[in-house]
Amino acid sequence: MKADLIDVFMEELGDEVVIHLRGTLGIHQLAAVREKLEMLVSGPGKFWFLDLDRARFTEKEYLELFLDILNLIRKKEATLVLLFSNQENKDFFERYFHVFEIYPSRKAYHQSGIIKQLKQAGVTYRKQTGLRLSPGITLFFLVILVGWFLTLFSMIQKQENEIKEGKALVMELEMQRNESIREIDELRSTIGPLRNLGLVLDSSESFSYGRIRDWIAYLELLEARRRGD
Amino acid sequence: MSLRKCAFVLYAPNRFCGVKSSNLSKLVAEFHSSLKTLLHNEAARLSLFEPGWMLETANDIASKEIHSLKEFVRDQRLEILGGGFHDPMLPLFPVSLQQLQLKKYCTLVEKIFLTEPAGYFNASMVWELGDVDVLAGEGFNYTLVSSAALGDALGKTTRVNGWFTTEYRGSVLHLMAATNDLSTAFATDTESFFTLLNSFPESEKGWVIPLAVPWWDQEQMSLFFEKLNSVFANEEIQTWTCSHLLEQQISEGKVHLMSAVGQDLGLPPGALSCRELLLRRPEIDFLHKSLLAVYRRAFDSLSDDKLTIVENQILSAMSPFYYSDLYGTCGMRLFAVRRSAFYEIIEAEKTVFNLSDFKSQSIEVTDYLMDGKRQIWMNNQDVSLLLANYQGGTLRSLNHRPTGVNWVNALYDDGEKPLGFYDFVLPGSCSEMNTLESVLQDRRGELNAPYDYQIQRTNQSIDVLLSAEQVTNTAEINDIFRIEKKFSLSSSKSQLKVSYRLSHLTLLDFSGFFGTAVDLGMEDTENTQTFSIDGKLYSFKDFPLLLPEVSKLEVKTRFSGAGITFQFKTPARVLISKILGSHHSAEPNLVQGVRLFFFREMKLTPQDEGLFEITCTLSKKRWLT
């Protein structure tokens, strides 16, 4: 019976599936190993760790087998990681070192970099219908979004306050202008009879108040003159 | 007439304690108090060994007595011997676990008595050559072995006395002959003891006499100490500690390849090794293999500090009563002992899974039973089971972790293995209860050919699909069935679904029964469990019982709150019978479990298919009446 030729140990750890192979595996066990591995990888799982640290391969055909398994797993958009640290297996897989992801342990794989972890989180939570995020990543994005909104609101608030201050200044200056016009009119009416008698030379005629458009600038100019600047 | 030199070794045999803890403490205190009184007799010198738990208890509750004993140790009138924490430790376990037991005990002795034990004591006197380097490695200088076993190794028919040297793998140990017939004579009366002692040739050499103290019975214990006091009062003998005898005498020579089977283990006189226990009693063998499997798993998956936690926990599962083929509180023939044994293993298993971040489910195909064939060990969070696909796809265990119960824990007197889901094809004539019982007892028509297996994983469960062609002989005709038997262990619930698909491959019609049996371990003590069948309650006195149509069968036990429910997709016939064993008399009247046989009638034409499905749910519930 093919089934009884090899020791297999499979363990599920959430989305991760760890398969341990042990013993010296030769040509007689090849079919059994292929059958069992293909059977196991057909089930659910996103990360497949194949622990080969205690397995020894005597035939090159096993390389093809692992390539086939890698293809099967990639078709499922999952990841295959081979776990071993012994020199014998390193020599055996030397030709395909760039093809397989090889780590000494599952822990080493998890600690192998932030990009890998992000990829892991991405692959773990991705589904066909869209993007799903892990709780940690969701919280991270939530904090960033809330921060953005708070900054935006504070900027809008600040600008509104500045506009309000500007409007108040304009209104105050408008009032000052009206007051000044009224005072000039009063003065004109006061000196009107004297001017008619020819006692006072009307200097205002030399300056056309009607042509003055920027009253604010003009009044500021007058104020500056008054202060002697 | 010269004085006879004797070294009395007092030891407290380790027993499975059914007595209440307050009573136990009282007995332990009484034992140490009597010992203290005995040693006040100036002539008394002796060696002492007591199991680890007893020493710990004595240190807690009898500190005055312990203090006095410490004084006697300092005066070299009392020698404390070392040994396994759960004595007697059999040489069936990994060396690291044996070393841990020895270390644990020696540390305790050093802490309490401020002395390092030089001698190793094993209450069953079991001995294998491999013990030499284990004991020498832990610093022991000598050990006691039975003089009869020593005589066999030396090829002497005369009584062997004194001590010998043995070596193994570069380690040396001294073997001291213990005279067991003097112990037996002492147990009879003091007169017999002296008669036998005086019949021995006069010699300067001393006699080592191990004496078991009946500490579990207050009356017997006081009688024992009275008797011993009278022996010490006799002027014909001179008492010494074993170490003193070893120092005073010279070696009698060397001995090689000595082995002792061990006493009080339930082995027959012709047995050659204590390992025969594993061959004779499948329950002991299975417990032993379960312990090794849990240890192996811990060793493979845990770091050193976590492994130590598991190792310390596993030690109690090495207790001697779990490895004795004896009745009563002494061995595995008592259901309470078996239940406790598997509880220890399941607890250790639970610790391993907790420490190794085990989250959902695992499956291991390995030679669990170490019989050269591989079995399938399935686990989810709460349930673990061992599936022997080579033995008709049967369950060897069905463990429920929340309750610590292994349900497949019955015992057959004839050494037959208790199994779960072992299948039968029976002829249509087997419809009467008596006929069925006899057929099941003899396991006629059992489908026990090996199955090939396939592992299938889904989000809901992990499945093992077994398939094989099984040949049966019904009504003088060989019927061939292709059977697909599927075990589905739920990922999230304590539920196991067993489904069958039978294809009839013979060119004749088949008319008969197909069914499967489960041996549940149980005891028949009053109100310990109830059987509820389709809502109606039954008890042991109603069995054997044959019911024609059952949809749901529920068994609950009061002791652990464990429950097991069998539900059938289509109603099935059920036969419930007691599994009986014999105890004091030849009459089998001791309940060791119940055998549930679920079956249904099948009429199959050639190439026809029959289906059968059982859902088994394990639970932990409050006791319901």
Side-chain angles (χ1 to χ4, degrees):
Chain A
M1 241 189 299
K2 277 197 284 184
D4 210 45
L5 289 170
I6 52 161
D7 277 351
V8 183
F9 175 35
M10 191 276 306
E11 193 173 12
E12 286 183 14
L13 302 156
D15 274 344
E16 298 180 2
V17 182
V18 188
I19 301 170
H20 301 255
L21 288 179
R22 291 175 196 152
T24 303
L25 302 172
I27 198 74
H28 296 297
Q29 288 87 10
L30 182 64
V33 175
R34 181 180 287 279
E35 183 197 338
K36 296 303 160 215
L37 287 181
E38 286 178 354
M39 192 192 297
L40 289 172
V41 299
S42 64
K46 292 287 180 192
F47 281 86
W48 295 84
F49 293 93
L50 211 50
D51 189 341
L52 308 175
D53 213 31
R54 292 166 69 185
R56 192 176 145 261
F57 304 100
T58 58
E59 303 295 332
K60 292 285 175 198
E61 281 81 352
Y62 278 96
L63 286 171
E64 283 173 30
L65 164 65
F66 288 117
L67 286 171
D68 292 344
I69 297 296
L70 180 66
N71 286 335
L72 277 177
I73 288 174
R74 279 190 179 161
K75 269 182 204 164
K76 294 171 62 180
E77 297 188 345
T79 307
L80 172 72
V81 181
L82 303 185
L83 304 178
F84 57 77
S85 54
N86 54 352
Q87 191 56 44
E88 198 171 351
N89 279 348
K90 279 180 187 166
D91 294 342
F92 184 77
F93 284 96
E94 198 179 12
R95 265 176 69 192
Y96 295 103
F97 236 74
H98 57 289
V99 178
F100 292 110
E101 283 197 69
I102 298 170
Y103 288 86
S105 66
R106 213 156 51 84
K107 198 177 169 187
Y109 176 78
H110 289 311
Q111 291 173 346
S112 60
I114 193 160
I115 294 169
K116 189 142 286 164
Q117 284 178 29
L118 283 173
K119 185 185 162 197
Q120 185 177 350
V123 173
T124 308
Y125 291 97
R126 195 175 65 202
K127 276 200 168 176
Q128 287 176 343
T129 48
L131 187 76
R132 285 187 156 215
L133 299 173
S134 71
I137 299 283
T138 312
L139 193 70
F140 175 70
F141 282 130
L142 202 67
V143 168
I144 286 183
L145 278 174
V146 169
W148 280 350
F149 277 114
L150 285 176
T151 314
L152 196 66
F153 279 127
S154 67
M155 284 167 73
I156 291 168
Q157 194 72 28
K158 200 177 162 189
Q159 283 177 346
E160 268 184 5
N161 288 340
E162 280 179 2
I163 289 166
K164 273 181 192 168
E165 280 174 15
K167 274 183 182 173
L169 189 66
V170 168
M171 276 175 73
E172 196 185 331
L173 291 172
E174 283 284 330
M175 280 168 70
Q176 278 182 10
R177 172 181 169 259
N178 293 337
E179 184 69 17
S180 301
I181 291 169
R182 194 182 55 80
E183 280 177 7
I184 288 165
D185 288 344
E186 269 181 21
L187 283 170
R188 237 184 224 167
S189 62
T190 311
I191 61 166
L194 295 174
R195 193 182 57 189
N196 291 338
L197 288 172
L199 293 173
V200 179
L201 186 68
D202 187 3
S203 61
S204 66
E205 284 180 358
S206 60
F207 195 90
S208 175
Y209 289 99
R211 286 202 297 265
I212 296 174
R213 289 185 176 219
D214 190 358
W215 276 99
I216 294 165
Y218 176 68
L219 286 170
E220 276 175 354
L221 182 72
L222 286 180
E223 183 65 18
R225 271 189 197 164
R226 193 177 62 80
R227 286 180 182 169
D229 290 345
Chain B
M1 195 171 123
S2 63
L3 288 175
R4 303 275 180 173
K5 286 183 185 170
C6 293
F8 287 97
V9 179
L10 261 58
Y11 69 94
N14 204 354
R15 286 169 77 97
F16 179 75
C17 297
V19 279
K20 286 179 185 169
S21 59
S22 60
N23 193 23
L24 205 65
S25 307
K26 205 174 142 191
L27 289 166
V28 171
E30 181 71 26
F31 169 54
H32 287 86
S33 168
S34 307
L35 196 64
K36 182 182 135 189
T37 316
L38 179 77
L39 283 161
H40 277 302
N41 178 348
E42 284 186 4
R45 289 182 191 84
L46 49 88
S47 302
L48 174 72
F49 178 82
E50 52 190 307
W53 70 265
M54 191 181 260
L55 204 51
E56 275 177 341
T57 314
N59 194 35
D60 291 342
I61 58 156
S63 49
K64 273 187 188 172
E65 282 78 9
I66 289 288
H67 183 74
S68 303
L69 294 183
K70 211 189 290 180
E71 298 285 315
F72 292 124
V73 171
R74 206 176 55 191
D75 297 345
Q76 296 189 338
R77 289 182 51 207
L78 176 66
E79 181 197 8
I80 306 294
L81 296 176
F85 195 86
H86 300 278
D87 175 78
M89 185 174 69
L90 302 181
L92 303 171
F93 306 103
V95 170
S96 56
L97 290 180
Q98 291 191 49
Q99 284 169 336
L100 191 64
Q101 274 221 42
L102 296 172
K103 260 194 196 95
K104 201 174 171 185
Y105 192 81
C106 289
T107 311
L108 189 64
V109 169
E110 278 174 46
K111 186 184 140 199
I112 296 173
F113 294 106
L114 309 174
T115 181
E116 199 178 330
Y120 170 77
F121 181 80
N122 186 306
S124 78
M125 298 270 168
V126 62
W127 177 258
E128 283 185 3
L129 198 56
D131 293 345
V132 174
D133 55 343
V134 176
L135 298 180
E138 292 307 311
F140 288 106
N141 183 28
Y142 73 94
T143 180
L144 303 186
V145 291
S146 104
S147 74
L150 210 47
D152 286 345
L154 293 165
K156 285 186 180 178
T157 49
T158 53
R159 191 177 304 279
V160 176
N161 195 14
W163 62 270
F164 297 79
T165 301
T166 188
E167 59 179 304
Y168 183 66
R169 289 181 183 165
S171 302
V172 180
L173 202 74
H174 305 322
L175 303 180
M176 216 169 179
T179 322
N180 288 330
D181 41 3
L182 278 172
S183 315
T184 318
F186 179 86
T188 316
D189 54 48
T190 47
E191 261 181 44
S192 314
F193 175 76
F194 281 111
T195 312
L196 185 66
L197 186 66
N198 289 331
S199 71
F200 291 171
E202 282 190 22
S203 150
E204 279 302 303
K205 288 185 268 180
W207 304 95
V208 178
I209 309 155
L211 299 177
V213 184
W215 60 269
W216 54 89
D217 186 315
Q218 206 161 356
E219 203 178 322
Q220 281 187 41
M221 182 160 55
S222 55
L223 278 174
F224 172 87
F225 278 105
E226 271 176 34
K227 213 193 298 181
L228 193 61
N229 221 351
S230 68
V231 169
F232 284 157
N234 193 304
E235 290 178 352
E236 291 174 18
I237 62 163
Q238 193 182 47
T239 57
W240 294 102
T241 60
C242 293
S243 294
H244 184 84
L245 282 189
L246 192 84
E247 285 163 18
Q248 295 301 312
Q249 295 169 14
I250 55 162
S251 168
E252 298 292 318
K254 283 188 174 184
V255 65
H256 296 295
L257 291 175
M258 200 207 94
S259 83
V261 177
Q263 60 200 24
D264 301 330
L265 296 172
L267 282 167
L272 296 171
S273 160
C274 65
R275 282 162 212 280
E276 280 191 33
L277 283 167
L278 307 179
L279 302 176
R280 294 173 63 82
R281 280 258 61 97
E283 299 77 25
I284 296 178
D285 183 49
F286 187 70
L287 178 77
H288 179 246
K289 300 304 175 287
S290 301
L291 185 147
L292 295 181
V294 171
Y295 179 65
R296 209 167 42 235
R297 184 145 190 175
F299 191 82
D300 285 348
S301 59
L302 300 179
S303 56
D304 285 352
D305 50 338
K306 288 178 181 172
L307 179 64
T308 312
I309 297 170
V310 178
E311 281 179 336
N312 276 304
Q313 194 179 358
I314 240 170
L315 292 188
S316 57
M318 293 162 69
S319 297
F321 30 82
Y322 299 147
Y323 300 90
S324 305
D325 187 13
L326 297 169
Y327 284 109
T329 52
C330 302
M332 284 288 269
R333 283 179 179 253
L334 185 74
F335 173 74
V337 176
R338 294 201 299 283
R339 178 178 56 204
S340 169
F342 283 102
Y343 180 80
E344 306 260 17
I345 294 292
I346 295 167
E347 284 297 302
E349 197 179 278
K350 211 190 285 183
T351 309
V352 174
F353 286 134
N354 287 343
L355 292 174
S356 61
D357 301 330
F358 177 76
K359 281 177 191 160
S360 47
Q361 48 196 5
S362 76
I363 190 161
E364 186 167 1
V365 183
T366 186
D367 189 0
Y368 184 102
L369 297 172
M370 296 180 170
D371 60 357
K373 297 162 196 156
R374 286 175 175 83
Q375 293 84 32
I376 303 167
W377 188 17
M378 296 168 80
N379 281 282
N380 73 7
Q381 289 276 33
D382 291 338
V383 180
S384 76
L385 57 95
L386 187 74
L387 179 57
N389 61 306
Y390 241 98
Q391 294 163 354
T394 52
L395 291 192
R396 289 300 310 272
S397 69
L398 181 59
N399 297 342
H400 187 226
R401 288 197 199 102
T403 52
V405 168
N406 171 17
W407 280 99
V408 186
N409 191 15
L411 180 137
Y412 286 99
D413 261 5
D414 57 4
E416 196 71 72
K417 298 177 191 88
L419 299 172
F421 299 103
Y422 54 109
D423 314 320
F424 292 85
V425 168
L426 304 174
S429 57
C430 291
S431 56
E432 295 297 316
M433 189 160 68
N434 291 340
T435 324
L436 274 170
E437 276 211 302
S438 119
V439 165
L440 293 177
Q441 188 65 34
D442 299 343
R443 299 202 174 172
R444 277 179 283 164
E446 188 186 349
L447 307 177
N448 52 10
Y451 279 97
D452 203 353
Y453 74 91
Q454 281 188 313
I455 299 166
Q456 296 169 345
R457 294 174 54 244
T458 62
N459 285 325
Q460 290 76 38
S461 66
I462 186 158
D463 306 338
V464 174
L465 177 66
L466 305 176
S467 52
E469 282 183 9
Q470 300 272 359
V471 181
T472 62
N473 189 305
T474 51
E476 308 301 322
I477 299 164
N478 278 343
D479 280 294
I480 304 171
F481 293 91
R482 171 149 191 92
I483 297 183
E484 286 186 359
K485 186 175 180 182
K486 189 174 179 180
F487 287 86
S488 303
L489 181 65
S490 168
S491 314
S492 52
K493 290 184 278 184
S494 304
Q495 195 178 71
L496 174 72
K497 199 182 277 182
V498 186
S499 48
Y500 295 88
R501 180 185 292 273
L502 280 83
S503 309
H504 188 219
L505 303 183
T506 320
L507 294 171
L508 292 168
D509 289 354
F510 168 77
S511 175
F513 298 105
F514 171 78
T516 186
V518 182
D519 299 331
L520 299 184
M522 287 192 167
E523 60 185 342
D524 181 17
T525 50
E526 209 173 320
N527 292 329
T528 48
Q529 49 263 314
T530 57
F531 295 82
S532 161
I533 301 171
D534 288 335
K536 197 177 168 193
L537 295 178
Y538 294 88
S539 68
F540 270 98
K541 63 179 185 297
D542 301 318
F543 304 147
L545 179 72
L546 177 64
L547 295 167
E549 204 168 88
V550 173
S551 300
K552 187 178 176 184
L553 188 153
E554 217 172 344
V555 185
K556 293 171 194 158
T557 62
R558 184 189 283 275
F559 182 80
S560 53
I564 186 165
T565 308
F566 297 93
Q567 278 176 290
F568 308 97
K569 202 171 178 184
T570 49
R573 297 183 192 205
V574 174
L575 170 70
I576 308 176
S577 21
K578 291 187 263 191
I579 299 170
L580 295 169
S582 52
H583 185 195
H584 296 298
S585 62
E587 186 194 359
N589 54 7
L590 184 71
V591 172
Q592 298 283 13
V594 289
R595 181 177 49 231
L596 308 175
F597 182 53
F598 314 118
F599 61 111
R600 55 174 295 195
E601 194 174 4
M602 284 202 181
K603 287 182 177 168
L604 300 174
T605 54
Q607 305 301 319
D608 204 0
E609 279 190 351
L611 301 173
F612 194 36
E613 188 176 304
I614 304 165
T615 305
C616 170
T617 311
L618 307 177
S619 56
K620 183 179 185 176
K621 287 178 185 169
R622 283 189 298 120
W623 176 253
L624 300 169
T625 51

